[in-house]
Structures are given as C-alpha cells and as structure tokens.
Amino acid sequence: MNRQEKEEYLREYALLKAQGKPFFPYAVAKDSIMAVIVMAVIITMSIVLGAELGPKADPTTTTYVPRPEWYFFFLFELLRIIKPPELVPLATIGIPTICMILMILVPFVDRSPERRPERRPIATTFGIFVIAAMAYLTYLGANAGSPNEIEREPPAQIAAAGGQELAHWEAGKQVTAQSGCLACHKIGENGNDGPGPPLTEIGARLPKEALARTLINPTAPMPSFQDLPPEKFDALVDFLATLK
Amino acid sequence: MKLKLPAPPIPEQLKPAPRRPGERKPSASDTLKEGGTSAVAWVDERTSLSGGARWMMFRKVPKGTNWFYTLGSATMFAFLNQAMTGVFLAMYYDPSPTNAYESTRFITNEAFLGEFVRGMHKWGSTVMVILIFLHMGRTFFFGAYKYPRELNWVVGAILLILTMVMSFTGYLLPFDQRSYWATIVGVNINGTGPLVGPYLSDFLRAGPDFGATTLSRFYAIHMLLIPGLIAALIGAHLYLVAKLGTTAPPWLKAESDPELRKESK
Ligand code: HEM
C-alpha cells in the first residue's frame, strides 16, 4: 500500500467506525453469548467424553501407540509422506519452520490494499489450499491403521521344528506387535508405510547384529528399545531376522 | 469525578424511574448505590483507571461487525478456562516420574469433581485450538492483517505457536504409556531439525536421555513459562485491537455523511 492508499483506508475506516455502535454493550453482548456457548461445549465434552487415563508409562515395555494429540496429526503425516532419509529433517522441522515463518510474514508479503476475499484470488486460493492440505493430512493421520497386529505365518522350518523354537518366534512377533513398530513400519500388509522403511524383508537385508544395533541406537525419530528386558529383546531380534 | 455509564438499550417502561426530590427518604439500596459510586470514585481519583476503561469499553466498533468477530474473544475465554482448571489440577499434580501417574490417577478417580475438571482442561485444549484456527481464518479471509494491523497479526501468529507448544508440553504430564511414547517420538523429531534441533531436544529432555528432570521441565514450561507469555501477548494483542479498532467486513462501504448530502442538494 502506498501512502495515498493508506490515507484512503484510514479515512474510509474512520467513517465506518463513526457509523458503528459502541463496543459496550453491543459487541460485549455477542462476545458474552459466545463465551457461554464455548463454556457449554467444553463442559458437555468433559461430561460426555470424560478424561481417560491409560496404563502407566513404562520405558521398558510395549503396547504403546506413539500417537500425538489429534491436532498434531498433520505434522506426523508429513513425516509419513516424505520418506527419503535425506529429506526427513526437511519434513520434521524444515516444513513446519518454513510454514511458521511464512505465517508470521503474511502481512509483509501481501501488501495490496484490496481486502475482499473474492478480489484477492492468490491469497484466498492459498488460504483454502492450506486448510484443505491440513484437513487432508489430519484425516489421513486419524485413519492410520491401528499399529499392533501382525498377520504372518511362521516360516516353514520353524513351524516344522515346533515346540520351543516356535514359541520363541511367536513371542518375538508379539513383542514386535506390541512395541509399536507398525506405527512407522510396514510388515507385510500390516502397519503404516512410513516414516520408516518397510520391514517385510528386513532379515534378508540386515544380519542380527545390525538389527540389534539399530534397535539400541536408532536414527531419530525412531525411539531406542535398549530398555526392553533381554529375553524380549532377543525374541524381537530373532523374529526380525526371520522376515525374508 | 463520576463514571458515567451509557444507558443500556432497554425499553422505556423497564427503566427505573428517577426519584423525585422529597418523594421519600433515600432507601437502603440508594445508600448502597451511592456508597458503591463513591468507592469507585475514590479508586479512580487515585488511579485514573476510568479513562482506560472508557477507552476500552466505549470505543466504537465499525458498522457490520458480526458473529465472526466473536471468535477472538471466544479463544480468550477458552484460554481463561485452561488457566482456571489448570490451577485446580496443579493443586493435586506432582511432576515427578514416580508420582506423576499416581497423582493423575488420584485426580481422575478420587478427587472431588476431579475427572470433570481434568476433562474440561483436556477438551478445553481442543476447543481452544479449533477456535484459534477459526479466528486466524477469519482475520486472514477478511484481510484484517493489512495496514495498519500487521503487527497484530504477528502477535497472533506467535500466540498460535505458543498454544501449540502448550499442548505439546501438556500431553506428557499424565505420564501414561500413550503420552510418554508420543512425547519421546516428538522430542526425537525435534532432534532431527537442522542446527538447533539437537540442542532443542537436549533442552526439552534436560539431558541426552529422557530422565527424572524431564517431566518437571515440561511441567514448568507448561504451567509457568508459556502461559505467562500467552497472557502477556494477549494483553498486547487486545491493546492493539482497541488502539486500531477492529476492521469492518471487507465488502462494506461507508455511507457518505448525510450532512454532506444535504448540503450538496
Ligand atoms: C490466544 C489467542 C488469541 C486471542 C485470545 C485473540 C484475541 C483477539 C480478539 C479478542 C480480537 C478482537 C476481534 C475479534 O475477536 O475478531 C482479535 C483480533 C485480531 N487477531 Fe487475534 N487472538 C488470538 C490469536 C490470533 C492469531 C493466531 C492471529 C493470526 C495469526 C490473530 C490475528 C488477529 C488480527 C489480525 C486481529 C485484528 C482483526 C480485526 O481488526 O478485524 N489473533 N484477536
């Protein structure tokens, strides 16, 4: 906006304001009604939905679903969609940071005097695009599969061996299922495709020692599983090694 | 100096009739009213606050102000709800790794109205996030971030970021499996960021690992640092709103002054 446009705006605004009503009581009345509605909604949600408390946090086990509050789903989904490892930092911090900076800079980027949404096609399209993208990512995040079920049959020779060996394999499968790996990895048809690589054939790619090293000392954002009890950890590694 | 309130817009018949001189003695309620007025006058004589109150409350809002303009104050009320319920939760909550879960369980299952207050805090956060995005959408599509309100948009954007930090730090506090693991992953994600990422993660965790002080650090950030900043910034935001006035809906044009029209005839 140049100087003349600024002055025009201020003049026009002064007129509109002079033709308006006092804040008290007119706007205050609307604001109060809205405040009552907001409180009523919060109270109703609290009564109907309650406040659940899951099992106590336990750094050494299992059955966790690393899911953030729903309004962070769109960030988590971004991670899932952008997979090449060299791009992961971009997805996790890069894009959110760029979005935050862009958001702060909006008034300095768009400095035209026009305010009507239908006459600001670029800004309006951009706004609708951002809303649609966030809504879509949130929807994807909300529908990401439940990450603790693996349908997989034991390999032939383990099934044939039966007994202890089979039990060890089943235990490993259970630990894998309960440790939330599927939130970030795909095993066969189960789990989410990303942010981690699929583990369907991980046994063919990595030897046991490398698997154990990855689990103890993973690359972020994968959490470390070094606190699992040794027998569970061994079962987990042995199970992964059979995935070929 | 007396504070003069404008007459509220109620029908003529409902307005209290003024007392005629000599009609009857001042009643108890009249005395009370006068006492109240003089107490306010006493404070005002020493603080001159009435000027500020008048400036804030009796400014005009432009023609066409509609329900979309209540979203900002609705966000503020949701924040106040978080502050109030948070105070009650803090009375019972203990931010140590050994007791955090137990104290949350006590709030939920045993404290009087505990689950209700915790529910209001939990769902209040969702409502606040929705409202803040709606309010931001309103100001965006109405072009309200343009001259002279650029700075107010910037303050608002920082408020949005701080609100998201609130929900991130608050999510850990119940210390159940879900919140624990979600936060570990969240902090790790921070750690992958360029340059400051690893430092930010170490700061959040209070060290290279998730340890005993992590929880109290999250708690201090969640209940002292960020709410203080948010409250201060809401103050700045509202000061700018009152100073600059709220926009009129962008499709409205001012009618030319009827006085001027008369003259030009
Ligand atoms: C804690 C969060 C916030 C609170 C309590 C708050 C409160 C308010 C209130 C009460 C108003 C008066 C007009 C109205 O209600 O629409 C307002 C105006 C405004 N807000 Fe916010 N706000 C918050 C966050 C934001 C955010 C995230 C943005 C955008 C990035 C923003 C940008 C603006 C702008 C540009 C105005 C001027 C609107 C106009 O003049 O029409 N605010 N805010």
Side-chain angles (χ1 to χ4, degrees), chain B residues 45-60:
Chain B
E45 197 178 337
R46 283 152 186 82
T47 59
S48 306
L49 279 179
S50 71
R54 214 177 297 138
W55 176 76
M56 190 79 196
M57 300 307 282
F58 302 143
R59 69 194 153 96
K60 280 195 167 178

Side-chain angles (χ1 to χ4, degrees), chain A residues 118-196:
Chain A
E118 72 276 22
R119 292 191 195 150
R120 299 186 289 143
I122 298 177
T124 304
T125 314
F126 175 76
I128 292 174
F129 171 76
V130 169
I131 292 174
M134 283 177 64
Y136 179 64
L137 288 174
T138 304
Y139 169 80
L140 282 187
N143 285 303
S146 161
N148 37 28
E149 211 175 307
I150 301 176
E151 299 150 42
R152 197 166 174 112
E153 295 308 317
Q157 82 258 43
I158 291 183
Q164 206 130 53
E165 217 167 310
L166 183 61
H168 187 67
W169 187 89
E170 289 289 347
K173 179 167 122 175
Q174 201 185 355
V175 175
T176 315
Q178 291 181 339
S179 301
C181 315
L182 297 186
C184 306
H185 293 285
K186 209 171 168 104
I187 298 182
E189 286 305 301
N190 303 112
N192 294 315
D193 195 9

Side-chain angles (χ1 to χ4, degrees), chain A residues 9 12-13 18-19 21 23-24 46 50-51 54-55 57-58 62 64 67 92 103 110 112 114-115 120, chain B residues 57 59-61 65 101 115-116 123 140-141 145-147 149 153 171 175-177 181 192 245-246 254-255:
Chain A
Y9 175 75
E12 172 79 11
Y13 181 68
Q19 290 160 6
K21 291 178 175 168
F23 178 70
F24 179 88
S46 173
D58 183 348
T62 61
Y64 78 92
R67 286 196 109 180
T92 52
M103 173 175 78
D110 173 13
S112 75
E114 185 54 61
R115 284 164 205 252
R120 299 186 289 143
Chain B
M57 300 307 282
R59 69 194 153 96
K60 280 195 167 178
V61 292
T65 298
Y101 180 79
E115 182 172 7
F116 177 60
W123 295 108
F140 183 83
F141 288 114
Y145 54 85
K146 300 195 171 195
Y147 175 84
R149 300 183 182 81
W153 171 274
Y171 200 58
F175 219 55
D176 57 7
Q177 285 283 63
W181 288 102
T192 60
T246 47
E255 289 158 19

Side-chain angles (χ1 to χ4, degrees), chain B residues 3-265:
Chain B
L3 191 66
K4 177 122 172 54
L5 296 171
I10 49 179
E12 215 43 66
Q13 301 90 314
L14 294 178
K15 287 187 186 162
R19 192 160 54 83
R20 299 245 158 67
E23 190 181 344
R24 62 186 159 84
K25 287 201 161 164
S27 68
S29 81
D30 289 334
T31 321
L32 206 64
K33 232 184 269 168
E34 223 142 86
T37 320
S38 68
V40 170
W42 188 93
V43 172
D44 192 48
E45 197 178 337
R46 283 152 186 82
T47 59
S48 306
L49 279 179
S50 71
R54 214 177 297 138
W55 176 76
M56 190 79 196
M57 300 307 282
F58 302 143
R59 69 194 153 96
K60 280 195 167 178
V61 292
K63 204 168 76 163
T65 298
N66 56 33
W67 286 96
F68 287 114
Y69 289 77
T70 62
L71 290 168
S73 70
T75 314
M76 185 178 72
F77 283 110
F79 174 72
L80 291 178
N81 169 68
Q82 294 305 93
M84 293 285 292
T85 50
V87 167
F88 287 103
L89 293 176
M91 290 175 185
Y92 296 96
Y93 181 74
D94 176 359
S96 70
T98 40
N99 293 339
Y101 180 79
E102 189 45 40
S103 62
T104 313
R105 200 199 53 74
F106 180 84
I107 294 172
T108 314
N109 296 341
E110 279 157 62
F112 176 63
L113 287 184
E115 182 172 7
F116 177 60
V117 173
R118 211 187 129 216
M120 279 179 74
H121 198 74
K122 182 181 154 85
W123 295 108
S125 78
T126 291
V127 169
M128 179 169 171
V129 169
I130 292 177
L131 285 172
I132 198 172
F133 274 112
L134 289 177
H135 171 60
M136 183 176 166
R138 195 288 278 171
T139 54
F140 183 83
F141 288 114
F142 279 29
Y145 54 85
K146 300 195 171 195
Y147 175 84
R149 300 183 182 81
E150 298 95 329
L151 196 56
N152 216 13
W153 171 274
V154 172
V155 174
I158 298 172
L159 277 170
L160 177 80
I161 295 168
L162 291 177
T163 305
M164 294 311 260
V165 175
M166 280 304 268
S167 50
F168 178 68
T169 51
Y171 200 58
L172 174 67
L173 301 180
F175 219 55
D176 57 7
Q177 285 283 63
R178 187 185 165 82
S179 68
Y180 177 79
W181 288 102
T183 307
I184 291 215
V185 172
V187 174
N188 285 349
I189 287 178
N190 270 320
T192 60
L195 301 181
V196 292
Y199 299 101
L200 191 61
S201 290
D202 283 353
F203 170 74
L204 283 173
R205 279 189 299 245
D209 288 311
F210 212 90
T213 41
T214 310
L215 193 56
S216 52
R217 183 162 293 205
F218 268 60
Y219 187 50
I221 294 175
H222 181 78
M223 60 109 56
L224 288 171
L225 179 63
I226 308 287
L229 284 175
I230 291 186
L233 285 178
I234 288 182
H237 200 67
L238 292 187
Y239 167 76
L240 286 175
V241 165
K243 165 96 176 52
L244 303 168
T246 47
T247 52
W251 48 86
L252 269 195
K253 282 261 156 262
E255 289 158 19
S256 57
D257 194 328
E259 290 297 312
L260 291 178
R261 231 179 298 155
K262 232 183 281 168
E263 262 173 337
S264 66
K265 225 185 272 171

